[in-house]
Amino acid sequence: MANGQWYPPEWPDRIRALADGSLTPVAPRRAATVMLLKDPATAQQTSPGPLVHMLRRRTSMAFAAGAYAYPGGGVDPRDEQEIRWAGPTRAWWSSRLGVEEATAQAIVCAAVRETYEEAGVLLAGPTEDTVVGDTTGDDWEADRAALVARDLSFAEFLERRGLVLRSDLLGAWTRWITPEFEPRRYDTWFFVAALPEGQRTRNASTEADRTVWIRPAEAAAGYDKGELLMMPPTIATLRQLIPYGTAAEALAAAPDRDLTAVLARASLVNGEIVLAWPGHDEFTKHIPTGGTPA
């Protein structure tokens, strides 16, 4: 392959089925993912820009096996439960995300919860202006495992530990919706956040076989060489992060980002299927009838 664009072999048949009406799109599930950033130590810095935390999905996974991604996952209905909240109000987030207040809270809550579940990093603190430190003890791990198993809601977890969710530590970056011909669909909000001082990431996800801290430009170069497999939203957001010199600069830019949803469109043009993501020409695929994508 020319690059690392994830492209399932069943897509052409599903696209044709969608076009002829034999495939009915499934409703996308709301989800959140977080681009966790950190600035490298000055003594080790050889090129500008923050590092981003990425995980590689296990090759046994049914969806995007072997692809690099960020911590994230689907919204739990219980993410709408009342919780202690710091930062911009739910009304502010409702306006920013373009959804109702309860849904906005659930999306933000999912972003924080999934980051803790998959990376061991918690964007919450005892007060509205503090963040917890080390979260790697056995008691923390027990709570994290209970969250993953859905034996414990995130609201219950925060209440048990007397913690406040720090929504001000997140910046909404972009929104992508899985194409209509996919059997698993997600309406995903991407956020940026800086690694809190005193915390460290680890591979806490059962869905990943490795994790890395990598500069966006380096990851994008690996994708361009076909060495790193990624879905379009992942490589697109990596390229968007490249201009920023620090994690703080990226976070400061988030409020001005356009959150219009990106949704792939498939059309029949001159006997071939054209698959395109509006605003992202690099992902356009031309699929001859009965052939493979070019």
Side-chain angles (χ1 to χ4, degrees):
M1 59 185 172
N3 56 34
Q5 183 174 344
W6 178 70
Y7 190 90
E10 66 271 16
W11 269 13
D13 288 341
R14 296 189 64 84
I15 291 171
R16 295 185 187 98
L18 180 67
D20 66 24
S22 61
L23 175 65
T24 301
V26 299
R29 179 187 177 190
R30 291 191 177 94
T33 191
V34 176
M35 298 178 285
L36 197 60
L37 307 174
K38 73 173 181 179
D39 297 321
T42 304
Q44 300 173 340
Q45 189 164 352
T46 57
S47 61
L51 305 173
V52 61
H53 179 70
M54 304 189 75
L55 53 83
R56 185 176 66 187
R57 295 175 59 82
R58 294 185 184 277
T59 55
S60 58
M61 296 298 294
F63 179 77
Y68 280 79
Y70 312 112
V75 169
D76 182 334
R78 297 175 300 174
D79 288 332
E80 293 188 9
Q81 292 177 349
E82 183 177 350
I83 61 174
R84 297 174 64 194
W85 181 279
T89 65
R90 293 166 179 79
W92 185 93
W93 279 107
S94 172
S95 176
R96 178 72 181 115
L97 302 181
V99 296
E100 296 180 354
E101 286 190 25
T103 302
Q105 174 188 300
I107 293 167
V108 171
C109 190
V112 176
R113 176 180 51 74
E114 288 285 344
T115 302
Y116 181 56
E117 289 181 10
E118 297 198 343
V121 171
L122 183 58
L123 304 178
T127 66
E128 295 184 355
D129 56 1
T130 60
V131 186
V132 295
D134 185 12
T135 61
T136 58
D138 290 343
D139 59 333
W140 285 101
E141 176 57 24
D143 279 349
R144 192 198 65 79
L147 285 169
V148 173
R150 298 298 181 260
D151 294 333
L152 184 69
S153 73
F154 199 59
E156 292 167 338
F157 165 72
L158 293 177
E159 181 65 25
R160 173 186 296 182
R161 290 190 168 271
L163 298 175
V164 181
L165 183 147
R166 291 285 305 277
S167 77
D168 55 316
L169 299 182
L170 286 170
W173 192 261
T174 190
R175 177 185 180 186
W176 287 64
I177 300 177
T178 309
E180 292 180 333
F181 47 81
E182 267 286 356
R184 298 167 183 250
R185 300 189 65 214
Y186 297 92
D187 183 354
T188 305
W189 280 262
F190 287 69
F191 296 85
V192 289
L195 178 69
E197 185 176 352
Q199 294 192 38
R200 59 183 185 273
T201 57
R202 58 193 176 91
N203 184 7
S205 173
T206 59
E207 299 179 355
D209 59 14
R210 71 172 301 212
T211 62
V212 296
W213 279 103
I214 189 170
R215 284 188 175 83
E218 182 182 346
Y223 168 90
D224 290 337
K225 296 175 184 176
E227 299 171 352
L228 300 182
L229 182 67
M230 298 180 201
M231 292 176 281
T234 308
I235 180 59
T237 49
L238 282 171
R239 296 200 198 284
Q240 292 162 358
L241 289 171
I242 291 173
Y244 300 98
T246 65
E249 287 181 11
L251 281 165
D256 295 325
R257 295 277 309 169
D258 182 8
L259 294 185
T260 301
V262 178
L263 173 63
R265 299 293 184 187
S267 58
L268 187 62
V269 180
N270 297 326
E272 68 175 5
I273 295 172
V274 178
L275 177 60
W277 279 259
H280 300 272
D281 293 343
E282 72 166 296
F283 306 129
T284 299
K285 291 289 185 182
H286 295 264
I287 309 166
T289 301
T292 56

